Amino acid sequence: MRRLLTMMLMAVVVTAASAQENKYIVKTKGAKKVAVEAQPDSTNTESQAEEPQDELARYFRYVSMCDWGTGMRFMVIPDKKDMVIKTFAEAETDKMVSNLSLRHKIMVYQGHENTGGLHEHVNFRCEDDGKNYYFEVPTTSFEDYCFGKMGVPTLAYLGDVDIAIEYFKDKTLFTVADEYYVDTELDGDGFETITDVKEGTEVKVVAVGVGTRNYPVKIIVADEKGREFYQNVAISRTNSGMRDDEFGISNKKIHTFRGAFELPADNMAASAAYRKYIGLEVFTKYPTVFNDASGKPVNMGRLSTFKIMDVRAQRGTHYVKMTLRGLGSGKTYTKQVTFVSHDVSGDIAGTHEDLYDNLFTAGNPLDIPGVEKAHLLDIRKGVVRAGFSEAEVTLAMGEPTSRGDVSNELYSWVYKNPAMPYACVFFNKNTKKVRSIKK
Protein backbone atom coordinates (compact mmCIF):
# COMPACT_ATOMS: atom_id res chain seq x y z
CA MET A 1 0.00 0.00 0.00
CA ARG A 2 2.80 2.44 0.88
CA ARG A 3 4.47 1.68 -2.43
CA LEU A 4 1.30 2.58 -4.35
CA LEU A 5 0.96 5.87 -2.48
CA THR A 6 4.56 6.66 -3.35
CA MET A 7 3.78 5.97 -7.01
CA MET A 8 0.88 8.42 -6.86
CA LEU A 9 3.15 11.16 -5.53
CA MET A 10 5.76 10.38 -8.16
CA ALA A 11 3.13 10.83 -10.87
CA VAL A 12 3.17 14.60 -10.32
CA VAL A 13 6.96 15.11 -10.35
CA VAL A 14 9.45 14.90 -13.19
CA THR A 15 10.62 11.40 -13.97
CA ALA A 16 13.14 10.33 -16.61
CA ALA A 17 11.77 8.48 -19.64
CA SER A 18 13.65 6.86 -22.50
CA ALA A 19 12.58 7.92 -25.98
CA GLN A 20 14.30 4.89 -27.45
CA GLU A 21 12.47 2.36 -25.24
CA ASN A 22 8.99 3.63 -24.50
CA LYS A 23 7.47 1.57 -21.69
CA TYR A 24 4.10 3.19 -22.24
CA ILE A 25 3.49 1.73 -25.71
CA VAL A 26 2.18 -1.81 -25.19
CA LYS A 27 0.51 -4.15 -27.70
CA THR A 28 -1.42 -7.40 -27.64
CA LYS A 29 0.55 -10.32 -29.06
CA GLY A 30 0.08 -10.85 -32.76
CA ALA A 31 0.25 -7.17 -33.74
CA LYS A 32 2.11 -6.75 -37.05
CA LYS A 33 4.99 -4.36 -37.60
CA VAL A 34 4.00 -1.64 -40.07
CA ALA A 35 5.04 1.87 -40.97
CA VAL A 36 3.69 4.47 -38.55
CA GLU A 37 0.89 6.51 -40.06
CA ALA A 38 -1.61 8.98 -38.69
CA GLN A 39 -4.61 6.89 -37.65
CA PRO A 40 -7.92 7.78 -36.03
CA ASP A 41 -7.94 7.31 -32.29
CA SER A 42 -9.04 3.73 -31.62
CA THR A 43 -11.78 4.63 -29.17
CA ASN A 44 -12.06 8.39 -29.21
CA THR A 45 -15.79 8.43 -29.90
CA GLU A 46 -16.65 6.49 -26.77
CA SER A 47 -16.76 7.46 -23.11
CA GLN A 48 -17.47 6.17 -19.63
CA ALA A 49 -19.65 6.14 -16.53
CA GLU A 50 -18.99 7.51 -13.09
CA GLU A 51 -16.44 5.54 -11.05
CA PRO A 52 -17.48 4.67 -7.49
CA GLN A 53 -15.65 6.34 -4.63
CA ASP A 54 -13.59 3.43 -3.42
CA GLU A 55 -10.02 2.16 -3.51
CA LEU A 56 -9.60 3.14 -7.15
CA ALA A 57 -10.72 6.68 -6.39
CA ARG A 58 -8.12 6.92 -3.61
CA TYR A 59 -5.23 6.02 -5.88
CA PHE A 60 -6.42 7.56 -9.14
CA ARG A 61 -7.35 11.08 -8.08
CA TYR A 62 -8.77 13.64 -10.42
CA VAL A 63 -6.52 16.70 -10.76
CA SER A 64 -8.22 19.81 -12.10
CA MET A 65 -6.16 21.84 -14.55
CA CYS A 66 -6.29 24.67 -12.00
CA ASP A 67 -4.32 22.42 -9.62
CA TRP A 68 -1.72 21.03 -12.00
CA GLY A 69 1.75 21.03 -10.48
CA THR A 70 5.08 21.54 -12.17
CA GLY A 71 6.45 18.19 -13.29
CA MET A 72 3.13 16.48 -14.17
CA ARG A 73 3.74 14.30 -17.20
CA PHE A 74 1.59 13.74 -20.27
CA MET A 75 2.01 11.95 -23.60
CA VAL A 76 0.94 13.43 -26.92
CA ILE A 77 -1.70 11.11 -28.42
CA PRO A 78 -3.18 12.88 -31.43
CA ASP A 79 -6.73 12.13 -32.49
CA LYS A 80 -7.85 12.31 -36.13
CA LYS A 81 -9.05 15.90 -35.74
CA ASP A 82 -5.70 16.81 -34.15
CA MET A 83 -4.01 16.16 -37.48
CA VAL A 84 -5.70 19.32 -38.79
CA ILE A 85 -5.78 21.57 -35.71
CA LYS A 86 -2.30 22.09 -34.26
CA THR A 87 -2.05 22.17 -30.48
CA PHE A 88 1.45 23.34 -29.53
CA ALA A 89 3.83 26.10 -30.57
CA GLU A 90 7.58 25.88 -30.15
CA ALA A 91 8.54 28.47 -27.52
CA GLU A 92 11.73 29.57 -29.24
CA THR A 93 10.16 30.31 -32.62
CA ASP A 94 6.45 30.81 -31.71
CA LYS A 95 5.65 28.58 -34.70
CA MET A 96 2.87 26.00 -34.45
CA VAL A 97 4.06 22.40 -34.62
CA SER A 98 2.35 19.43 -36.26
CA ASN A 99 0.83 17.09 -33.69
CA LEU A 100 1.98 14.14 -35.76
CA SER A 101 5.62 15.18 -35.27
CA LEU A 102 5.02 15.18 -31.50
CA ARG A 103 3.20 11.83 -31.44
CA HIS A 104 4.16 9.75 -28.38
CA LYS A 105 6.47 12.45 -27.05
CA ILE A 106 6.29 13.19 -23.33
CA MET A 107 5.39 16.72 -22.24
CA VAL A 108 6.25 17.90 -18.72
CA TYR A 109 4.07 20.68 -17.30
CA GLN A 110 6.00 23.87 -16.44
CA GLY A 111 3.17 26.13 -15.29
CA HIS A 112 1.32 28.94 -17.06
CA GLU A 113 2.13 32.56 -17.75
CA ASN A 114 0.67 35.76 -19.12
CA THR A 115 2.93 36.88 -21.95
CA GLY A 116 1.28 40.27 -22.31
CA GLY A 117 -0.78 39.17 -25.29
CA LEU A 118 -4.47 38.42 -25.61
CA HIS A 119 -4.07 34.86 -24.34
CA GLU A 120 -2.04 33.07 -21.70
CA HIS A 121 0.37 30.20 -22.31
CA VAL A 122 0.43 26.77 -20.68
CA ASN A 123 4.08 25.74 -20.82
CA PHE A 124 5.69 22.34 -21.29
CA ARG A 125 9.15 20.91 -21.70
CA CYS A 126 9.48 17.89 -23.98
CA GLU A 127 11.46 15.06 -22.39
CA ASP A 128 12.24 13.56 -25.78
CA ASP A 129 13.74 16.49 -27.70
CA GLY A 130 14.51 18.88 -24.82
CA LYS A 131 12.56 21.73 -26.42
CA ASN A 132 10.00 24.00 -24.77
CA TYR A 133 6.45 24.21 -26.11
CA TYR A 134 3.30 26.03 -25.12
CA PHE A 135 -0.44 25.69 -25.54
CA GLU A 136 -2.23 29.01 -25.94
CA VAL A 137 -5.32 29.22 -23.75
CA PRO A 138 -8.30 30.06 -26.01
CA THR A 139 -9.73 32.59 -23.50
CA THR A 140 -8.45 35.79 -21.95
CA SER A 141 -7.36 34.15 -18.71
CA PHE A 142 -6.07 30.81 -17.44
CA GLU A 143 -8.47 30.98 -14.48
CA ASP A 144 -11.48 31.23 -16.76
CA TYR A 145 -10.30 28.20 -18.74
CA CYS A 146 -8.93 25.81 -16.12
CA PHE A 147 -12.22 25.27 -14.28
CA GLY A 148 -13.72 23.66 -17.38
CA LYS A 149 -13.15 20.12 -18.61
CA MET A 150 -11.53 20.98 -21.94
CA GLY A 151 -7.92 20.72 -20.70
CA VAL A 152 -5.05 20.59 -23.17
CA PRO A 153 -5.92 18.65 -26.36
CA THR A 154 -3.92 15.54 -27.35
CA LEU A 155 -2.39 15.01 -23.89
CA ALA A 156 -2.95 11.66 -22.14
CA TYR A 157 -2.20 11.91 -18.41
CA LEU A 158 0.71 9.62 -17.54
CA GLY A 159 0.11 9.96 -13.82
CA ASP A 160 -2.76 7.48 -14.11
CA VAL A 161 -0.69 5.19 -16.31
CA ASP A 162 2.26 5.13 -13.88
CA ILE A 163 0.01 4.21 -10.97
CA ALA A 164 -1.89 1.65 -13.07
CA ILE A 165 1.33 -0.11 -14.11
CA GLU A 166 2.03 -0.80 -10.44
CA TYR A 167 -1.55 -1.24 -9.21
CA PHE A 168 -2.72 -3.73 -11.83
CA LYS A 169 0.54 -5.69 -12.21
CA ASP A 170 -0.31 -9.42 -12.54
CA LYS A 171 -3.80 -8.81 -11.15
CA THR A 172 -6.68 -11.16 -11.83
CA LEU A 173 -9.76 -9.42 -13.22
CA PHE A 174 -13.15 -10.40 -14.63
CA THR A 175 -14.58 -9.06 -17.87
CA VAL A 176 -17.72 -6.92 -17.85
CA ALA A 177 -17.91 -5.16 -21.24
CA ASP A 178 -19.50 -6.51 -24.41
CA GLU A 179 -16.53 -5.57 -26.59
CA TYR A 180 -12.75 -5.38 -26.35
CA TYR A 181 -9.89 -4.78 -28.78
CA VAL A 182 -6.90 -6.55 -30.31
CA ASP A 183 -3.92 -4.69 -31.82
CA THR A 184 -3.24 -5.37 -35.47
CA GLU A 185 -0.23 -3.08 -35.90
CA LEU A 186 2.94 -3.11 -33.82
CA ASP A 187 3.95 0.47 -34.66
CA GLY A 188 0.57 1.96 -35.57
CA ASP A 189 -2.90 2.34 -34.13
CA GLY A 190 -4.62 -0.47 -36.04
CA PHE A 191 -7.00 -2.62 -34.02
CA GLU A 192 -9.86 -5.08 -34.31
CA THR A 193 -12.98 -5.10 -32.19
CA ILE A 194 -13.94 -8.44 -30.63
CA THR A 195 -17.36 -9.19 -29.18
CA ASP A 196 -17.08 -12.86 -28.25
CA VAL A 197 -15.61 -12.42 -24.75
CA LYS A 198 -18.16 -13.79 -22.30
CA GLU A 199 -19.05 -11.52 -19.40
CA GLY A 200 -17.40 -12.80 -16.24
CA THR A 201 -14.40 -14.35 -18.02
CA GLU A 202 -11.45 -14.58 -15.65
CA VAL A 203 -8.40 -12.83 -17.07
CA LYS A 204 -4.92 -11.84 -15.93
CA VAL A 205 -3.29 -8.47 -16.59
CA VAL A 206 -0.22 -8.97 -18.80
CA ALA A 207 0.66 -5.34 -19.60
CA VAL A 208 -0.41 -1.77 -18.86
CA GLY A 209 0.49 1.23 -20.99
CA VAL A 210 -0.90 4.40 -22.52
CA GLY A 211 -4.18 4.37 -24.40
CA THR A 212 -5.79 7.55 -25.69
CA ARG A 213 -6.23 11.11 -24.48
CA ASN A 214 -9.81 10.38 -23.35
CA TYR A 215 -8.99 6.94 -21.93
CA PRO A 216 -5.30 7.05 -21.00
CA VAL A 217 -4.85 3.64 -19.32
CA LYS A 218 -4.52 0.71 -21.73
CA ILE A 219 -4.98 -2.60 -19.90
CA ILE A 220 -3.98 -5.76 -21.80
CA VAL A 221 -5.29 -9.01 -20.34
CA ALA A 222 -5.11 -12.69 -21.26
CA ASP A 223 -7.73 -15.39 -20.65
CA GLU A 224 -6.97 -18.92 -19.49
CA LYS A 225 -6.20 -19.96 -23.08
CA GLY A 226 -3.62 -17.19 -23.48
CA ARG A 227 -5.75 -15.07 -25.80
CA GLU A 228 -4.88 -11.39 -25.32
CA PHE A 229 -7.13 -8.35 -25.73
CA TYR A 230 -7.32 -4.88 -24.23
CA GLN A 231 -9.47 -1.99 -23.16
CA ASN A 232 -8.59 1.72 -22.88
CA VAL A 233 -10.10 3.15 -19.70
CA ALA A 234 -10.33 6.47 -17.91
CA ILE A 235 -9.98 6.23 -14.15
CA SER A 236 -9.22 9.63 -12.60
CA ARG A 237 -10.36 11.42 -15.79
CA THR A 238 -7.61 14.04 -15.41
CA ASN A 239 -7.43 16.05 -18.68
CA SER A 240 -9.82 13.62 -20.38
CA GLY A 241 -11.45 16.53 -22.20
CA MET A 242 -14.91 15.21 -21.33
CA ARG A 243 -17.73 16.64 -19.22
CA ASP A 244 -18.99 14.72 -16.21
CA ASP A 245 -22.35 14.02 -17.84
CA GLU A 246 -20.62 12.33 -20.79
CA PHE A 247 -19.33 9.61 -18.50
CA GLY A 248 -22.87 8.38 -17.90
CA ILE A 249 -23.71 7.66 -21.53
CA SER A 250 -24.60 3.96 -21.62
CA ASN A 251 -22.80 3.03 -24.83
CA LYS A 252 -19.58 4.61 -23.56
CA LYS A 253 -19.28 3.06 -20.12
CA ILE A 254 -17.01 0.28 -21.40
CA HIS A 255 -14.17 2.79 -21.14
CA THR A 256 -14.47 3.20 -17.39
CA PHE A 257 -12.52 0.64 -15.41
CA ARG A 258 -15.65 -0.86 -13.87
CA GLY A 259 -17.44 -0.71 -17.17
CA ALA A 260 -14.72 -2.96 -18.58
CA PHE A 261 -13.43 -5.06 -15.69
CA GLU A 262 -14.28 -6.27 -12.24
CA LEU A 263 -11.82 -6.73 -9.39
CA PRO A 264 -11.81 -10.03 -7.44
CA ALA A 265 -12.95 -8.13 -4.34
CA ASP A 266 -16.07 -7.00 -6.23
CA ASN A 267 -16.79 -10.55 -7.31
CA MET A 268 -16.34 -11.99 -3.83
CA ALA A 269 -19.48 -10.28 -2.57
CA ALA A 270 -21.52 -11.79 -5.39
CA SER A 271 -19.92 -15.18 -4.77
CA ALA A 272 -20.61 -15.24 -1.02
CA ALA A 273 -24.00 -16.90 -1.53
CA TYR A 274 -22.29 -19.98 -2.95
CA ARG A 275 -19.66 -20.53 -0.25
CA LYS A 276 -21.70 -23.33 1.34
CA TYR A 277 -21.00 -25.48 -1.71
CA ILE A 278 -17.22 -25.21 -1.45
CA GLY A 279 -15.74 -28.43 -0.05
CA LEU A 280 -18.70 -30.63 -0.95
CA GLU A 281 -18.19 -33.97 -2.66
CA VAL A 282 -20.58 -34.49 -5.59
CA PHE A 283 -21.12 -36.81 -8.52
CA THR A 284 -22.66 -36.21 -11.93
CA LYS A 285 -26.12 -37.48 -12.78
CA TYR A 286 -25.64 -37.42 -16.55
CA PRO A 287 -22.77 -37.21 -19.06
CA THR A 288 -21.56 -33.64 -19.47
CA VAL A 289 -18.58 -31.57 -20.56
CA PHE A 290 -16.10 -29.88 -18.24
CA ASN A 291 -13.00 -27.81 -19.10
CA ASP A 292 -9.58 -28.94 -17.96
CA ALA A 293 -6.84 -26.70 -16.53
CA SER A 294 -5.84 -25.55 -20.02
CA GLY A 295 -9.43 -24.75 -20.99
CA LYS A 296 -9.90 -27.74 -23.27
CA PRO A 297 -13.29 -29.53 -23.14
CA VAL A 298 -13.32 -32.95 -21.45
CA ASN A 299 -16.23 -35.41 -21.56
CA MET A 300 -17.37 -36.59 -18.14
CA GLY A 301 -19.47 -39.71 -17.70
CA ARG A 302 -22.31 -40.30 -15.27
CA LEU A 303 -21.33 -40.82 -11.63
CA SER A 304 -18.00 -39.04 -12.02
CA THR A 305 -16.97 -37.87 -8.57
CA PHE A 306 -15.55 -34.48 -7.60
CA LYS A 307 -14.84 -32.13 -4.75
CA ILE A 308 -16.01 -28.53 -5.28
CA MET A 309 -13.01 -26.23 -4.77
CA ASP A 310 -14.46 -22.83 -5.70
CA VAL A 311 -17.66 -21.19 -6.93
CA ARG A 312 -17.34 -17.82 -8.65
CA ALA A 313 -20.33 -15.70 -9.71
CA GLN A 314 -20.36 -14.65 -13.36
CA ARG A 315 -21.46 -11.04 -13.39
CA GLY A 316 -24.45 -10.25 -15.60
CA THR A 317 -25.46 -13.90 -15.96
CA HIS A 318 -27.31 -16.49 -13.87
CA TYR A 319 -24.32 -18.83 -14.14
CA VAL A 320 -21.37 -19.43 -11.85
CA LYS A 321 -17.93 -20.78 -12.67
CA MET A 322 -17.42 -23.88 -10.56
CA THR A 323 -13.93 -25.30 -10.01
CA LEU A 324 -13.85 -29.02 -9.14
CA ARG A 325 -11.15 -31.59 -8.43
CA GLY A 326 -11.63 -35.17 -9.59
CA LEU A 327 -11.62 -37.52 -6.60
CA GLY A 328 -10.02 -40.29 -8.63
CA SER A 329 -7.67 -38.37 -10.92
CA GLY A 330 -6.86 -35.40 -8.69
CA LYS A 331 -7.13 -33.17 -11.77
CA THR A 332 -8.79 -29.75 -11.68
CA TYR A 333 -11.71 -28.85 -13.94
CA THR A 334 -14.15 -25.97 -14.37
CA LYS A 335 -17.83 -25.99 -15.26
CA GLN A 336 -20.41 -23.25 -15.90
CA VAL A 337 -23.35 -24.11 -13.64
CA THR A 338 -26.62 -22.36 -12.85
CA PHE A 339 -28.68 -22.52 -9.67
CA VAL A 340 -31.75 -20.93 -11.30
CA SER A 341 -33.42 -22.57 -14.29
CA HIS A 342 -34.17 -20.26 -17.23
CA ASP A 343 -35.13 -23.02 -19.67
CA VAL A 344 -38.77 -24.12 -19.48
CA SER A 345 -37.88 -27.37 -21.21
CA GLY A 346 -35.72 -28.28 -18.22
CA ASP A 347 -33.34 -31.17 -18.83
CA ILE A 348 -35.48 -33.14 -21.25
CA ALA A 349 -34.42 -35.24 -24.21
CA GLY A 350 -30.73 -34.59 -23.77
CA THR A 351 -31.09 -30.79 -23.58
CA HIS A 352 -29.24 -29.75 -20.44
CA GLU A 353 -29.10 -26.31 -18.88
CA ASP A 354 -26.54 -27.52 -16.34
CA LEU A 355 -28.79 -26.70 -13.41
CA TYR A 356 -26.87 -27.65 -10.29
CA ASP A 357 -29.60 -29.79 -8.74
CA ASN A 358 -30.12 -31.69 -11.99
CA LEU A 359 -26.42 -32.09 -12.73
CA PHE A 360 -25.03 -33.10 -9.34
CA THR A 361 -25.89 -35.21 -6.34
CA ALA A 362 -24.07 -34.62 -3.08
CA GLY A 363 -21.87 -37.46 -1.85
CA ASN A 364 -20.11 -40.40 -3.44
CA PRO A 365 -22.11 -43.17 -5.15
CA LEU A 366 -19.97 -45.83 -3.46
CA ASP A 367 -21.02 -44.47 -0.07
CA ILE A 368 -24.70 -45.10 -0.85
CA PRO A 369 -25.98 -48.22 0.96
CA GLY A 370 -26.63 -51.04 -1.50
CA VAL A 371 -24.25 -49.79 -4.21
CA GLU A 372 -21.43 -52.21 -5.09
CA LYS A 373 -18.24 -51.14 -6.83
CA ALA A 374 -18.46 -54.15 -9.17
CA HIS A 375 -21.78 -52.86 -10.54
CA LEU A 376 -20.61 -49.25 -11.08
CA LEU A 377 -19.51 -49.68 -14.71
CA ASP A 378 -22.97 -50.97 -15.74
CA ILE A 379 -24.69 -48.30 -13.68
CA ARG A 380 -22.73 -45.54 -15.44
CA LYS A 381 -24.02 -46.90 -18.76
CA GLY A 382 -27.61 -46.99 -17.49
CA VAL A 383 -27.62 -50.80 -17.55
CA VAL A 384 -29.57 -52.76 -14.91
CA ARG A 385 -29.01 -56.47 -14.27
CA ALA A 386 -30.53 -59.14 -12.07
CA GLY A 387 -29.25 -58.85 -8.51
CA PHE A 388 -29.06 -55.04 -8.51
CA SER A 389 -30.42 -53.22 -5.48
CA GLU A 390 -33.03 -50.45 -5.51
CA ALA A 391 -30.28 -47.88 -4.96
CA GLU A 392 -28.36 -49.20 -7.96
CA VAL A 393 -31.44 -49.13 -10.18
CA THR A 394 -32.13 -45.54 -9.12
CA LEU A 395 -28.56 -44.54 -9.94
CA ALA A 396 -28.72 -46.27 -13.31
CA MET A 397 -32.21 -45.26 -14.46
CA GLY A 398 -33.46 -42.57 -12.11
CA GLU A 399 -36.77 -42.46 -10.30
CA PRO A 400 -39.51 -44.65 -11.89
CA THR A 401 -42.68 -43.11 -13.32
CA SER A 402 -44.75 -45.59 -11.31
CA ARG A 403 -44.47 -48.39 -8.75
CA GLY A 404 -46.79 -51.33 -8.16
CA ASP A 405 -47.35 -54.83 -6.74
CA VAL A 406 -47.21 -57.71 -9.22
CA SER A 407 -47.71 -60.72 -6.94
CA ASN A 408 -47.04 -61.93 -3.42
CA GLU A 409 -43.38 -62.26 -4.38
CA LEU A 410 -42.76 -59.40 -6.84
CA TYR A 411 -43.20 -55.65 -7.18
CA SER A 412 -42.32 -53.49 -10.16
CA TRP A 413 -40.85 -50.10 -11.17
CA VAL A 414 -42.07 -48.84 -14.52
CA TYR A 415 -40.11 -46.32 -16.64
CA LYS A 416 -42.05 -44.41 -19.32
CA ASN A 417 -39.71 -41.44 -19.57
CA PRO A 418 -39.76 -39.91 -23.10
CA ALA A 419 -35.99 -39.53 -22.92
CA MET A 420 -35.38 -43.28 -22.52
CA PRO A 421 -36.82 -46.61 -23.76
CA TYR A 422 -39.71 -48.21 -21.87
CA ALA A 423 -38.61 -50.58 -19.12
CA CYS A 424 -40.23 -52.50 -16.30
CA VAL A 425 -37.97 -53.71 -13.50
CA PHE A 426 -39.23 -56.55 -11.28
CA PHE A 427 -37.94 -56.82 -7.69
CA ASN A 428 -38.07 -59.73 -5.22
CA LYS A 429 -40.06 -58.56 -2.19
CA ASN A 430 -37.87 -60.48 0.25
CA THR A 431 -34.43 -59.50 -1.02
CA LYS A 432 -35.43 -56.18 -2.69
CA LYS A 433 -33.09 -57.13 -5.51
CA VAL A 434 -33.85 -57.18 -9.22
CA ARG A 435 -35.41 -60.48 -10.41
CA SER A 436 -35.79 -59.52 -14.09
CA ILE A 437 -36.16 -56.60 -16.53
CA LYS A 438 -38.78 -56.30 -19.26
CA LYS A 439 -38.16 -53.85 -22.12
Side-chain angles (χ1 to χ4, degrees), residues 51-229:
E51 294 288 354
Q53 296 300 310
D54 56 7
E55 185 177 23
L56 290 179
R58 287 193 290 115
Y59 288 117
F60 299 89
R61 296 180 180 178
Y62 170 72
V63 184
S64 165
M65 190 175 177
C66 301
D67 300 321
W68 284 8
T70 301
M72 289 180 65
R73 300 167 70 244
F74 302 83
M75 180 176 285
V76 180
I77 307 288
D79 187 10
K80 185 177 182 179
K81 63 180 180 294
D82 300 320
M83 298 299 113
V84 179
I85 303 172
K86 297 177 180 179
T87 303
F88 300 98
E90 189 177 334
E92 186 176 349
T93 64
D94 286 325
K95 291 184 177 179
M96 298 299 291
V97 181
S98 165
N99 285 323
L100 183 59
S101 67
L102 296 175
R103 182 177 183 266
H104 291 170
K105 286 183 167 53
I106 295 175
M107 296 290 194
V108 183
Y109 180 65
Q110 300 295 306
H112 63 91
E113 62 175 339
N114 190 321
T115 62
L118 293 176
H119 302 295
E120 295 189 49
H121 292 175
V122 180
N123 298 319
F124 298 90
R125 178 181 59 79
C126 179
E127 284 188 0
D128 299 273
D129 62 18
K131 295 180 181 180
N132 294 319
Y133 297 87
Y134 64 83
F135 166 71
E136 190 169 84
V137 176
T139 62
T140 55
S141 73
F142 177 79
E143 284 70 23
D144 290 340
Y145 184 79
C146 72
F147 284 105
K149 296 289 186 179
M150 294 297 292
V152 179
T154 77
L155 294 186
Y157 180 46
L158 293 182
D160 278 2
V161 182
D162 286 330
I163 296 169
I165 289 172
E166 182 69 21
Y167 185 86
F168 293 114
K169 183 179 180 181
D170 297 328
K171 257 193 172 53
T172 295
L173 305 173
F174 300 93
T175 59
V176 176
D178 54 8
E179 66 178 52
Y180 294 88
Y181 307 97
V182 176
D183 291 303
T184 58
E185 298 174 3
L186 191 61
D187 299 323
D189 295 329
F191 70 97
E192 290 181 354
T193 301
I194 59 174
T195 58
D196 59 345
V197 178
K198 290 185 179 180
E199 186 170 349
T201 298
E202 185 174 325
V203 294
K204 187 173 183 179
V205 176
V206 295
V208 176
V210 71
T212 69
R213 184 262 175 113
N214 292 27
Y215 321 117
V217 181
K218 179 178 182 177
I219 302 177
I220 299 178
V221 298
D223 62 18
E224 61 182 4
K225 296 181 180 179
R227 181 194 189 190
E228 292 187 5
F229 47 91

Side-chain angles (χ1 to χ4, degrees), residues 274-349:
Y274 306 108
R275 288 177 185 164
K276 63 182 180 181
Y277 295 95
I278 297 175
L280 291 181
E281 291 188 2
V282 295
F283 60 90
T284 54
K285 294 181 179 180
Y286 56 77
T288 187
V289 177
F290 285 21
N291 289 324
D292 65 14
S294 64
K296 294 180 180 179
V298 178
N299 293 321
M300 293 293 172
R302 295 179 66 250
L303 309 186
S304 297
T305 53
F306 303 91
K307 182 176 182 179
I308 299 175
M309 308 304 295
D310 188 30
V311 184
R312 195 74 60 86
Q314 305 294 279
R315 183 172 174 173
T317 76
H318 63 284
Y319 279 85
V320 300
K321 181 180 181 179
M322 188 170 285
T323 302
L324 309 99
R325 188 179 67 221
L327 293 185
S329 67
K331 295 181 179 179
T332 299
Y333 304 92
T334 59
K335 175 73 176 174
Q336 298 289 331
V337 178
T338 181
F339 287 85
V340 180
S341 178
H342 281 218
D343 186 353
V344 295
S345 66
D347 290 298
I348 300 173

Side-chain angles (χ1 to χ4, degrees), residues 285 302-303 378-385 388-401 413-417 419-427 434 436-439:
K285 294 181 179 180
R302 295 179 66 250
L303 309 186
D378 283 332
I379 294 172
R380 284 196 173 109
K381 297 176 182 178
V383 174
V384 170
R385 301 187 187 280
F388 277 25
S389 66
E390 289 184 348
E392 291 173 327
V393 174
T394 302
L395 275 180
M397 302 180 65
E399 291 293 334
T401 52
W413 286 5
V414 177
Y415 290 86
K416 293 183 179 180
N417 193 319
M420 58 189 297
Y422 168 86
C424 184
V425 182
F426 297 94
F427 292 88
V434 174
S436 62
I437 305 100
K438 179 181 179 182
K439 295 184 179 180

